Amino acid sequence: MFQHLFATMNEMLDEILVHYPKAQGGAKQDLQQKLTLLKSMSDGIVEEWLRFEEKMGVLRESQPDHASVTVLPESQSEAFQRGQGYYKLCMYDLSAEAFEQVIRHYPDSLVGRIYLAMAYLQLNEFNDAYRHFQFIIPLTESKKLKAISYNALGCIQAQNQNIEKAQEYFQHAHQADPTFQEPLTNLKLCESTEYEGAYQYGSELTSFM
């Protein structure tokens, strides 16, 4: 459902990016109207998502085992929820901006930092992503966070054609959490010439919290 909607929105935005710089008169006005429509749709989707997350939060609090669950203080912040919503909607630039705010207020938040790192990775901002993943690994006791981070580092190295280093990181990811399937898939891709650039990362992040 969301994939079709965002595919259409991205097609409209691509058209605007191509034609707007040279457009004049009525053509430029038409593109401005389309841009206004896209912004309105984007704002509406995010607003509805935040409303949905608020209701889900109420439901989680009402569950009997809620008292046994550790609730991270940063996850209750507006910036965190906004950033998580943007991430799930594949709006990675806005997600990165929100999680930068989270990290400024909660510099020790590893969950906030891994969302930020993954958003940068999705934006192909490899240097920023790499720095945050390297920060996370020695500090976290979570096998899942370590595995996600090592796997992402492997993908960055693979993109830079450092295949041996990529394989090393994928192996570390598998050792950290053998139930995590992406590193094994990526190790096979390192040995293949048929799926170049198709490395997998981030599939388990949205289900982490």
Side-chain angles (χ1 to χ4, degrees):
M1 179 177 64
F2 278 121
Q3 288 180 340
H4 178 72
L5 174 61
F6 281 106
T8 302
M9 292 174 67
N10 275 298
E11 287 177 5
M12 290 179 63
L13 187 56
D14 288 340
E15 178 187 354
I16 294 171
L17 290 171
V18 170
H19 298 292
Y20 190 84
K22 297 181 180 180
Q24 295 180 350
K28 188 167 188 177
Q29 185 177 6
D30 180 59
L31 292 175
Q32 288 175 334
Q33 290 176 348
K34 288 183 178 180
L35 184 59
T36 300
L37 174 62
L38 285 176
K39 186 177 185 305
S40 176
M41 292 174 64
S42 174
D43 291 344
I45 289 169
V46 172
E47 183 178 348
E48 291 299 324
W49 177 261
L50 291 175
R51 186 177 296 116
F52 174 81
E53 281 294 307
E54 183 178 355
K55 291 180 180 178
M56 285 295 292
V58 172
L59 179 61
R60 285 192 291 265
E61 290 178 358
S62 68
Q63 292 176 345
D65 61 344
H66 177 75
S68 62
V69 178
T70 301
V71 178
L72 300 175
E74 63 268 33
S75 69
Q76 306 303 302
S77 69
E78 187 271 341
F80 189 101
Q81 294 178 12
R82 179 159 42 85
Q84 193 176 50
Y86 281 133
Y87 189 92
K88 292 178 180 179
L89 293 172
C90 302
M91 301 168 72
Y92 301 117
D93 54 341
L94 295 176
S95 179
E97 290 179 10
F99 280 112
E100 283 285 6
Q101 294 180 29
V102 173
I103 296 305
R104 281 197 294 270
H105 289 90
Y106 301 92
D108 296 330
S109 173
L110 298 183
V111 174
R113 193 176 292 273
I114 200 166
Y115 266 107
L116 176 60
M118 196 63 73
Y120 278 135
L121 182 55
Q122 297 284 4
L123 293 168
N124 293 330
E125 299 287 345
F126 296 137
N127 289 337
D128 286 329
Y130 201 92
R131 173 169 53 86
H132 287 293
F133 285 124
Q134 289 278 33
F135 181 91
I136 291 167
I137 289 171
L139 297 180
T140 184
E141 296 180 359
S142 167
K143 295 179 180 179
K144 185 66 67 180
L145 280 183
K146 279 186 183 293
I148 291 174
S149 298
Y150 274 127
N151 183 66
L153 290 176
C155 290
I156 294 172
Q157 292 290 350
Q159 292 291 342
N160 292 330
Q161 300 301 312
N162 299 323
I163 302 302
E164 290 187 6
K165 191 64 177 179
Q167 290 174 315
E168 179 182 334
Y169 279 132
F170 292 142
Q171 289 167 355
H172 284 321
H174 177 63
Q175 292 168 2
D177 184 0
T179 68
F180 189 29
Q181 294 301 309
E182 286 184 353
L184 293 178
T185 300
N186 290 333
L187 276 170
K188 293 179 182 178
L189 291 174
C190 282
E191 301 169 357
S192 171
T193 59
E194 298 180 8
Y195 304 100
E196 184 176 356
Y199 295 96
Q200 298 182 13
Y201 54 85
S203 65
E204 295 198 10
L205 181 61
T206 54
S207 61
F208 187 78
M209 288 189 63

